[in-house]
Amino acid sequence: MKRVWFLMFLVMISFTSLLSPPAYAHSNNSEGFSVIEVNEKNLDYELKLDLTELGHSINKETDAKQLIDSKTVQQYINSHISLYADGVKVVGNVKKTDVEMIKDRPFAVINLTYMMEHKPKKLTVDYNMFLDDSDPSHANFATVKMDGKQQEKILTYESREFEIGEVSFVQNIKQFLLLGLEHIFTGYDHILFVISLLFGAKTIKNILSLVTAFTIAHSITLVLATLEIVQLPGRFVESAIALSIIYVALINIFDKDAKHHPWLAFGFGLIHGFGFAGILSEMRLDGNHLATSLLSFNIGIELGQLLIVSLAFPIILWMKKITLKPIKFVIPGTSVAILAFGLVWFIQRAF
């Protein structure tokens, strides 16, 4: 028993060193948010960027306030974001800067103003922040408001241009479907929670009930949080998600014959739904696009979740039937590793 606890201690120490990033390192899959509003002869652009990735891109490692107050930021933005009003390029001037915490990460909030000769009939945004410099996996969730209309687009390495009036109904569904898929596949805490549930599932019927309960629960809170009906602090949500991983992992370690019940998946699914809602809440979707965007995003999450379950569960069932000793230690060992991840994430998020 002492050896087991010693092994767990070593694993936790190892994961802590791996998961603790140095200051101003790459943030990996960094995010940005754009809200562009076209008025009569000026355009207001609120740009939110991952502060760590911005610091890396402009090679500045200073205090956050000094970082975003620098003229270097304005030059960098104008050289990486091009706006065209009726085909004519307009240049932005930084009017205000701030730092805001989004999902417990510091973001630079930069307000720019673009002056135009007249109100444009057509607006084109060419976005290249971080994509060629430091983070090809960067994504910016953009909202453009013009002439009483609002459109959204996810700007990525493969899709950098946004022309208002260009995004069709089908394109909107496709991009939010892909966003949901990406969100579940890069949400390692959600993946580990689902895998932990699979460890305690005994039959196909059992796993179907667990997945259904988890899906219904996180769909409920995803809608409530996106509509801003119910909101919880980001630090609390992320910490609670880590605790859900710890709780299920402990059950798997100390009660190998435990059968996870749907109520467990439903209860923790409510918390995970608030985690899924973070990106959509920042996009400020309007009523015309909210229903399709929200539905497409949720379907993307479910498709990714079903793919993970369909790949992992047969392997887990096979390992449980094997009598070979080395194989029988795989699931308990993996549960210890998942517990270590959960503990490290909880410490990072809660304190």
Side-chain angles (χ1 to χ4, degrees):
M1 187 68 181
K2 289 182 179 179
R3 290 183 179 180
V4 173
W5 284 109
F6 182 67
L7 176 62
M8 289 174 62
F9 176 75
L10 290 179
V11 170
M12 284 186 283
I13 294 298
S14 300
F15 281 129
T16 303
S17 63
L18 288 172
L19 292 175
S20 299
Y24 288 91
H26 284 278
S27 51
N28 294 326
N29 298 307
S30 63
E31 296 172 353
F33 303 93
S34 295
V35 178
I36 301 170
E37 187 166 359
V38 180
N39 301 307
E40 287 301 320
K41 289 188 178 181
N42 70 287
L43 181 151
D44 295 321
Y45 190 158
E46 182 186 70
L47 177 64
K48 298 182 181 181
L49 295 169
D50 186 292
L51 188 60
T52 302
E53 198 63 45
L54 179 61
H56 182 89
S57 297
I58 63 176
N59 297 315
K60 279 184 79 73
E61 299 185 9
T62 59
D63 174 78
K65 287 289 185 182
Q66 294 176 357
L67 174 66
I68 61 174
D69 284 340
S70 172
K71 284 288 184 182
T72 308
V73 174
Q74 179 171 299
Q75 295 171 0
Y76 182 79
I77 291 173
N78 283 327
S79 63
H80 288 76
I81 299 179
S82 299
L83 270 68
Y84 299 89
D86 292 335
V88 178
K89 186 174 181 178
V90 289
V91 179
N93 294 306
V94 174
K95 294 297 182 183
K96 180 184 176 184
T97 61
D98 202 353
V99 175
E100 177 181 324
M101 297 300 291
I102 301 176
K103 293 182 289 187
D104 297 321
R105 292 187 64 91
F107 273 68
V109 182
I110 305 163
N111 293 92
L112 302 104
T113 298
Y114 294 76
M115 300 305 298
M116 302 170 291
E117 293 185 1
H118 56 82
K119 186 176 181 178
K121 295 181 180 179
K122 178 181 175 182
L123 181 70
T124 303
V125 180
D126 188 10
Y127 185 88
N128 294 286
M129 295 292 291
F130 307 154
L131 298 173
D132 296 317
D133 298 335
S134 60
D135 186 7
S137 59
H138 172 75
N140 187 288
F141 309 96
T143 300
V144 177
K145 303 174 182 179
M146 187 170 78
D147 293 330
K149 300 177 182 178
Q150 176 171 313
Q151 291 188 3
E152 297 85 22
K153 185 175 177 66
I154 302 164
L155 300 164
T156 63
Y157 188 90
E158 294 81 14
S159 180
R160 308 184 185 200
E161 190 172 277
F162 183 15
E163 184 176 302
I164 192 163
E166 178 191 29
V167 180
S168 67
F169 178 76
V170 174
Q171 287 174 316
N172 187 65
I173 291 176
K174 179 183 175 182
Q175 68 177 0
F176 278 93
L177 184 72
L178 293 175
L179 177 62
L181 280 167
E182 180 186 355
H183 199 62
I184 189 67
F185 286 131
T186 57
Y188 306 118
D189 47 1
H190 303 298
I191 292 174
L192 291 186
F193 178 78
V194 171
I195 290 175
S196 293
L197 286 179
L198 296 180
F199 284 162
K202 304 301 181 183
T203 62
I204 298 293
K205 183 179 179 181
N206 185 204
I207 192 57
L208 286 176
S209 65
L210 290 172
V211 171
T212 300
F214 184 66
T215 298
I216 292 172
H218 74 63
S219 297
I220 291 171
T221 47
L222 172 63
V223 172
L224 292 176
T226 304
L227 295 177
E228 298 184 353
I229 296 173
V230 179
Q231 290 185 306
L232 296 176
R235 182 180 291 272
F236 171 80
V237 171
E238 295 300 322
S239 301
I241 289 173
L243 282 176
S244 73
I245 296 169
I246 293 169
Y247 182 82
V248 180
L250 285 171
I251 293 176
N252 292 337
I253 292 169
F254 294 106
D255 190 356
K256 297 177 182 178
D257 297 323
K259 179 182 177 182
H260 296 320
H261 295 282
W263 64 262
L264 179 71
F266 184 87
F268 284 129
L270 292 173
I271 295 295
H272 283 252
F274 285 105
F276 289 138
I279 289 177
L280 296 184
S281 298
E282 285 298 321
M283 290 186 70
R284 305 177 191 176
L285 305 176
D286 72 351
N288 296 328
H289 303 270
L290 182 59
T292 53
S293 300
L294 188 55
L295 181 61
S296 303
F297 179 75
N298 202 34
I299 290 173
I301 289 175
E302 304 319 323
L303 289 175
Q305 185 175 280
L306 286 174
L307 183 59
I308 292 168
V309 171
S310 61
L311 290 174
F313 192 53
I315 297 173
I316 293 171
L317 284 180
W318 173 76
M319 287 192 296
K320 285 182 176 181
K321 293 178 181 178
I322 296 296
T323 56
L324 196 63
K325 276 192 174 182
I327 297 295
K328 294 191 78 65
F329 283 110
V330 171
I331 292 179
T334 304
S335 294
V336 171
I338 290 174
L339 173 63
F341 271 112
L343 287 169
V344 172
W345 279 329
F346 178 72
I347 293 169
Q348 288 181 336
R349 296 170 181 182
F351 303 104

